[in-house]
């Protein structure tokens, strides 16, 4: 196995704060009826997704990461616990988590980086459910790609040479490897497409209407998250 990508411990907090500043004003300005719309996460409405996000970040901030946390069963319990919470209070909890979780994740040495990436992907789930443009793009995209590279290595995803097309984020102008080499010496896979589609592919989100090339590796081999997502091991 080749050396791991260099980890920037500030990246998770930077991604969370960037998304906080973009997402929370949108959430607070949207009628509550829109929170009942279904998302790409099976069985989850927008409110369910946000309750899950708020709970996950609160667990990180309060160091409540007991065995079995972030499993589907744990996620559902966290959502149910917030079912009667007024929406403004839920959004307050989410904002607090997005503000305070960064230093905790930074100090965790990489094992919680997937939480920050998962939160950002879920913000895309909300935008997609509401029919907004840029569901898995925006100002946080370069930071999300940086986390994707590290999380894919940590989870030992198959090595894939990624060629980002379109408006390439800084550092992705040339093809770069993501994941770990095959122990059997198989050649790496190859992806060519835009950055939001790359995020969709690794995050196990709908790819309808996208254009991309994928060779030497299957879509199912590149899924970082389950459905509903288990944010990290």
């Amino acid at each position: 196995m080749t050396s791991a990508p260099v980890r920037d411990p500030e990246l998770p907090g930077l991604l969370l704060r960037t998304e906080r500043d973009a997402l929370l004003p949108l959430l607070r300005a949207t009628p509550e009826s829109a929170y009942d719309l279904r998302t790409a996460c099976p069985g989850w409405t927008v409110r369910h997704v946000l309750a899950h996000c708020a709970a996950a970040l609160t667990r990180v901030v309060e160091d409540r990461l007991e065995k079995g946390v972030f499993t589907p069963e744990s996620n559902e319990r966290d959502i149910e616990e917030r079912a009667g919470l007024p929406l403004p209070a839920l959004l307050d909890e989410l904002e607090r988590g997005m503000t305070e979780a960064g230093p905790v994740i930074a100090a965790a040495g990489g094992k919680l980086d997937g939480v920050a990436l998962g939160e950002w992907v879920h913000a895309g789930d909300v935008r997609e459910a509401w029919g907004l443009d840029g569901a898995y793009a925006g100002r946080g995209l370069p930071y999300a790609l940086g986390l994707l590279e590290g999380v894919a290595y940590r989870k030992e995803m198959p090595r894939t040479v990624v060629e980002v097309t379109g408006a390439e984020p800084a550092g992705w102008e040339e093809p770069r490897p993501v994941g770990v080499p095959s122990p059997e010496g198989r050649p790496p896979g190859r992806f060519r497409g835009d950055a939001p589609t790359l995020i969709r592919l690794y995050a196990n989100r709908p790819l309808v209407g996208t254009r991309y090339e994928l060779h030497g590796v299957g879509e199912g081999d590149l899924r970082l998250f389950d459905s509903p997502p288990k944010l990290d091991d």
Side-chain angles (χ1 to χ4, degrees):
M1 187 179 298
T2 58
S3 59
V6 176
R7 178 178 182 258
D8 179 354
E10 299 304 316
L11 201 56
L14 184 57
L15 177 61
L16 288 172
R17 293 190 301 273
T18 299
E19 189 55 48
R20 174 202 64 193
D21 293 346
L23 182 65
L24 264 297
L26 171 66
L27 296 178
R28 296 191 191 280
T30 300
E32 191 161 348
S33 59
Y35 287 76
D36 293 330
L37 291 174
R38 295 285 167 172
T39 70
C41 300
W44 285 8
T45 64
V46 168
R47 182 180 171 110
H48 291 148
V49 166
L50 296 175
H52 164 63
C53 289
L57 289 173
T58 295
R59 285 184 174 278
V60 169
V61 170
E62 297 179 353
D63 193 24
R64 294 191 292 110
L65 301 174
E66 65 273 7
K67 184 177 180 179
V69 72
F70 301 148
T71 62
E73 296 77 15
S74 173
N75 292 340
E76 293 295 344
R77 287 194 297 271
D78 286 341
I79 291 171
E80 181 60 30
E81 287 175 2
R82 287 157 177 80
L85 198 64
L87 181 59
L90 177 62
L91 298 185
D92 286 345
E93 182 185 13
L94 177 63
E95 182 171 11
R96 176 204 171 206
M98 298 181 87
T99 301
E100 299 181 10
V104 180
I105 296 174
K111 68 179 182 179
L112 294 177
D113 286 2
V115 174
L117 179 59
E119 297 286 306
W120 184 82
V121 169
H122 279 315
D125 296 337
V126 172
R127 290 187 175 88
E128 179 128 298
W130 286 349
L132 302 176
D133 292 334
Y136 304 97
R139 289 189 296 129
L141 179 59
Y143 311 136
L145 288 174
L147 283 181
L148 170 65
E149 191 174 21
V151 175
Y153 187 92
R154 184 178 181 84
K155 288 183 173 286
E156 300 186 4
M157 307 300 291
R159 172 63 56 90
T160 303
V161 177
V162 169
E163 180 183 351
V164 175
T165 60
E168 303 95 342
W172 292 77
E173 296 87 355
E174 300 294 332
R176 59 194 294 167
V178 175
V180 300
S182 165
E184 295 82 20
R186 292 192 300 269
R190 301 192 68 88
F191 167 90
R192 187 176 187 274
D194 62 38
T197 299
L198 179 68
I199 293 290
R200 287 178 180 272
L201 182 62
Y202 274 93
N204 191 18
R205 293 312 191 263
L207 292 160
V208 176
T210 61
R211 295 178 183 270
Y212 68 97
E213 299 174 19
L214 187 65
H215 304 285
V217 66
E219 290 180 2
D221 299 323
L222 301 180
R223 291 177 177 172
L224 284 175
F225 303 134
D226 301 324
S227 295
K230 186 172 73 172
L231 295 180
D232 206 337
D233 293 333

